Amino acid sequence: MPTKLFITGGTGYIGGDALHEIVHAHPEYDITCLVRNSDKAAKIGSQYPKVRFVYGSLEDEALLEEEAKAADVILHCAHTDNETAVKAIIRGLVAHPDDRPGYLIHTSGTGILMFKDLETKTFGEASSKVYDDWEGVGEVTSLPDFAPHRNVEKLVLAGGTEHAQRVKTAIVCPPTIYGNGRGPDNQRSQQLPGLAKYTLIEKHGIQIGAGKTYWTNVHVVDLSKCYLLLVEAAVAGGGSATWGEKGYYFVESNEHVWGHISKLVAKEAFKQGLLSSDEVVSLTPENANLLKGPFQALWGANSRCRAIRARKILGWAPKECTMEDTIADVVKSEARALGIVEGHAAKIAG
């Protein structure tokens, strides 16, 4: 019997790239994707004709529970904070017999590590605190309940410990993700493209406060290779991977300071003739709130981690280019999306 893999978020940036990686590595897998409608299904089906579809949303509890009962492995890449979906998936996995446990690979995000800055409303300042998923895994899995994503992480951790014989869980926690996705629909990330977009809209570089905030980052292809290693471990009956209480995986390759990235983006936009100067303006938290999206936190609150577990026990080794290497292409792409013509800085400078 071929391995049955159920994927949510297959048309998204993260899930779509993971789907690409897995299908090409294992065309023998029997893959089912949750999609909202036939248009989304058509986008996946045009690239991967063997993929099966179920139609619904993360609120369709009965559907998710039934798919979890049938699947050997679930790769959950859709909506980090949806409790309904995770509860339904866990219920379906609990129905597995002890001799055929089900595996859940859940996607979270290192936004969870912003909790201290969010609590104190400190933005744009550096933090020396760095979390890790090896010796410090207990600290990471017991963060305050008000931390972003913590509500759903607790459900996953509980499922993997209270029903450890039948439910094997792993939480994958990526930071800033960059690079062009290879999936069938959304191929654009959020933080770096958003920074380039608003740099062009505001007609100058932007940073939050002093711009000293640290984040880690990973290329989307390197992230997908980590997902693949975990899926392969699950198919092998768990393999060398850690599941359950300590099954927590940061996935990072480098670290950056957002103020430095803001300067590089502004310089590149100026170089491409899209801005009249490479000036970077510091935004107060109040001004940052005027931007559409959660960018005050995503550029202004610290999120530092080290991916030890994936390197140590899965042999994961990131190999793609750095985030800084992608800035020129990101600026060009965002300029095209905004309808700005290169070389006409005077036009957008007003």
Side-chain angles (χ1 to χ4, degrees):
M1 293 278 296
T3 295
K4 292 184 177 181
L5 174 63
F6 178 55
I7 298 178
T8 69
T11 56
Y13 176 61
I14 296 174
D17 199 84
L19 175 63
H20 174 95
E21 187 74 22
I22 293 166
V23 167
H24 283 82
H26 293 284
E28 75 278 10
Y29 286 176
D30 181 357
I31 298 176
T32 298
C33 285
L34 174 72
V35 292
R36 290 192 298 272
N37 53 54
S38 58
D39 290 341
K40 295 289 186 181
K43 290 179 179 181
I44 296 176
S46 65
Q47 293 190 26
Y48 314 116
K50 290 175 59 179
V51 170
R52 170 180 168 264
F53 303 104
V54 291
Y55 295 89
S57 74
L58 296 179
E59 301 300 322
D60 291 322
E61 299 177 58
L63 173 64
L64 292 172
E65 187 172 338
E66 286 303 309
E67 290 302 322
K69 287 179 183 178
D72 299 306
V73 184
I74 297 169
L75 179 58
H76 185 35
C77 296
H79 202 319
T80 304
D81 298 325
N82 190 295
E83 294 186 18
T84 300
V86 168
K87 288 177 180 178
I89 289 168
I90 294 292
R91 287 197 301 270
L93 292 176
V94 169
H96 281 231
D98 287 351
D99 62 352
R100 191 182 73 85
Y103 290 81
L104 169 60
I105 301 167
H106 170 76
T107 303
S108 186
T110 66
I112 194 171
L113 304 179
M114 301 188 301
F115 72 93
K116 180 62 71 175
D117 286 347
L118 295 178
E119 181 184 28
T120 61
K121 293 182 170 56
T122 302
F123 299 104
E125 298 298 326
S127 171
S128 61
K129 177 63 177 177
V130 181
Y131 295 86
D132 78 80
D133 57 12
W134 192 253
E135 292 182 353
V137 68
E139 180 182 18
V140 173
T141 56
S142 57
L143 294 175
D145 286 353
F146 64 82
H149 316 319
R150 173 68 177 154
N151 59 325
V152 175
E153 284 196 7
K154 285 178 66 177
L155 295 174
V156 176
L157 290 165
T161 53
E162 295 171 8
H163 309 282
Q165 280 293 105
R166 286 165 286 171
V167 182
K168 308 293 184 182
T169 61
I171 295 174
V172 174
C173 196
T176 297
I177 310 169
Y178 64 92
N180 292 327
R182 300 168 295 172
D185 193 6
N186 181 22
Q187 299 180 342
R188 178 185 182 272
S189 186
Q190 183 180 25
Q191 284 168 286
L192 181 59
L195 181 61
K197 174 184 175 180
Y198 280 108
T199 293
L200 297 173
I201 290 174
E202 298 298 317
K203 304 171 188 175
H204 54 70
I206 54 176
Q207 67 181 36
I208 307 299
K212 297 179 180 178
T213 307
Y214 282 90
W215 268 69
T216 44
N217 57 68
V218 69
H219 195 287
V220 67
V221 171
D222 285 324
L223 173 60
S224 291
K225 292 186 184 301
C226 186
Y227 281 122
L228 175 62
L229 290 168
L230 279 169
V231 169
E232 289 176 337
V235 172
S240 62
T242 307
W243 306 93
E245 182 182 8
K246 295 183 178 180
Y248 200 102
Y249 298 82
F250 288 127
V251 190
E252 54 77 28
S253 56
N254 289 292
E255 188 171 64
H256 64 275
V257 175
W258 274 116
H260 175 64
I261 299 299
S262 295
K263 290 179 175 65
L264 294 179
V265 169
K267 286 181 180 179
E268 182 59 39
F270 174 62
K271 178 182 176 182
Q272 293 183 22
L274 299 167
L275 296 180
S276 58
S277 79
D278 60 3
E279 177 191 14
V280 175
V281 173
S282 294
L283 300 182
T284 64
E286 293 75 22
N287 288 337
N289 278 333
L290 298 177
L291 304 177
K292 292 181 179 179
F295 295 116
Q296 174 185 333
L298 293 180
W299 300 330
N302 289 276
S303 176
R304 306 182 72 179
C305 64
R306 295 293 178 266
I308 299 173
R309 189 169 300 274
R311 288 179 168 93
K312 188 182 286 281
I313 65 173
L314 297 179
W316 178 73
K319 298 177 181 178
E320 299 298 317
C321 66
T322 68
M323 187 169 78
E324 290 82 351
D325 290 335
T326 70
I327 287 175
D329 286 341
V330 169
V331 170
K332 287 180 183 178
S333 178
E334 294 303 310
R336 284 196 299 270
L338 290 169
I340 300 172
V341 180
E342 294 181 32
H344 290 70
K347 177 181 178 181
I348 63 170

